[in-house]
Structure formats: C-alpha cells, structure tokens
Amino acid sequence: MSGWSEGKIARAIALQTLAKKCVVLVDRCNWTGHECDVLAVTTDLRIIDVEVKISRADFKADAKKDKWWHRMTWGEPGPRQHRPWPPKVWKHYVAMPRDLWDDALFAFMPSPASGLLLVREHRGRVEVNCHRRATPNRDADRISAEQAVDIARLANLRMWDAYAARERTEVPA
C-alpha cells in the first residue's frame, strides 16, 4: 500500500467525486455539530458528510462516535438510540483505501445507510470507486442560503490558512 493520508484521500474524493455536484467543500469541519473529514454542500443545498479512514481500527471505531447516537434523556447518562444519519446530513459516506477493505467490514459500518468510497493508486494517480451508494436521509432539511454562505466563508478561510502553512514549509530560493 502506498503512503495514504486523510488529506490525500479527501482531496481525491473532493476533486473526483464531489466537485461536480457540490458548490462548496470543507475539510475537517464541525459545522453540523459533529466532526466531518469532508463536509460538502450540494447544488440543491444538502449536506454530504464523508469520513476518511486510513486504518481498519479507525474505521471500526467510527460507529461509536457521538454523532451516531441520540441520548433519550438530555444531560444524563442513560439509554441511547442509534441514528441512521448524523444530524443535518443528507448523505453519509466512508472513504478508505481499497487495499484495507473486505466485505466482512460491512458489519462495522456506522449505519446501513452509509455509502462506501474506495480509493486506490493506479498508473500514478488516485482513483475513487463508489462501492456502495449512500441512502439519502429524506428528512434532512436543505440548508438556507445564509448557512451555505457561512460554510463557504469557512472554506475560504481554510484556503488562506493552507497557503500560509505551505509558505512556512517552503525553502527560500
């Protein structure tokens, strides 16, 4: 297996799978109230959440995250109910290297509604394959124009932060 990183996988997903269907993409975003490795806003203002995994252990641990559980009583320990989708999310995907996947891992998917994107390197480039499509959450509301602008502002600020980080690592000529 090559040197996979969350950034390398997220970039391939963003550019190959989501770019044509989405108006904005943000990495490492908590806008929904829970962490998303890639948060995408579709052209019809719906949220797609992509979780990027680079190990089987990381993948198996994902279903335990709070975003998949609803507490039945507020502020107290007690019974929890599993959510088929994270809050505010229309579609949820897991993305991971194809070399790590085998279909027995479907038992560990965070939800039966989650889709699966597998990546591999082929002829020097990263390829993305949709192994299972996500089931849409028909109850997920579209976001407002104001919310979409808020997410776009966040994406814009992240871009400038990325430029600054790259400048810090560049070797002067």
Side-chain angles (χ1 to χ4, degrees):
M1 180 174 70
S2 72
W4 291 111
S5 68
E6 286 187 8
K8 186 175 186 177
I9 294 171
R11 195 169 33 259
I13 301 295
L15 297 176
Q16 294 179 39
T17 305
L18 298 174
K20 293 178 184 173
K21 301 171 188 145
C22 297
V23 292
V24 65
L25 302 159
V26 186
D27 66 325
R28 299 178 319 275
C29 182
N30 290 314
W31 187 88
T32 64
H34 298 278
E35 181 265 334
C36 305
D37 292 329
V38 177
L39 180 135
V41 178
T42 65
T43 55
D44 64 349
L45 300 179
R46 296 181 188 268
I47 298 292
I48 297 174
D49 172 359
V50 180
E51 285 297 318
V52 177
K53 304 298 166 195
I54 56 173
S55 74
R56 286 186 181 125
D58 186 25
F59 168 73
K60 289 178 179 180
D62 198 58
K64 296 175 186 165
K65 288 183 178 177
D66 282 345
K67 73 181 185 179
W68 292 107
W69 297 95
H70 173 71
R71 288 220 180 267
M72 302 308 286
T73 55
W74 186 80
E76 298 177 12
R80 300 184 315 160
Q81 181 179 15
H82 186 266
R83 294 179 170 133
W85 297 275
K88 303 179 186 176
V89 171
W90 177 59
K91 287 185 179 179
H92 176 268
Y93 282 93
V94 173
M96 65 189 301
R98 182 177 174 179
D99 295 346
L100 294 179
W101 183 258
D102 81 51
D103 285 348
L105 291 172
F106 274 122
F108 297 96
M109 285 293 271
S111 168
S114 296
L116 177 63
L117 303 170
L118 298 177
V119 297
R120 70 177 185 142
E121 283 196 332
H122 182 69
R123 296 183 181 171
R125 56 183 288 256
V126 177
E127 292 182 345
V128 180
N129 179 333
C130 183
H131 192 67
R132 181 171 86 180
R133 293 197 178 280
T135 303
N137 177 0
R138 304 265 182 238
D139 294 329
D141 292 328
R142 287 180 165 90
I143 63 171
S144 68
E146 292 81 14
Q147 290 170 318
V149 168
D150 185 47
I151 295 168
R153 180 190 56 77
L154 178 59
N156 185 34
L157 293 172
R158 294 273 173 90
M159 177 191 70
W160 294 110
D161 287 345
Y163 284 151
R166 189 179 76 198
E167 287 176 6
R168 286 191 298 272
T169 61
E170 288 178 350
V171 177

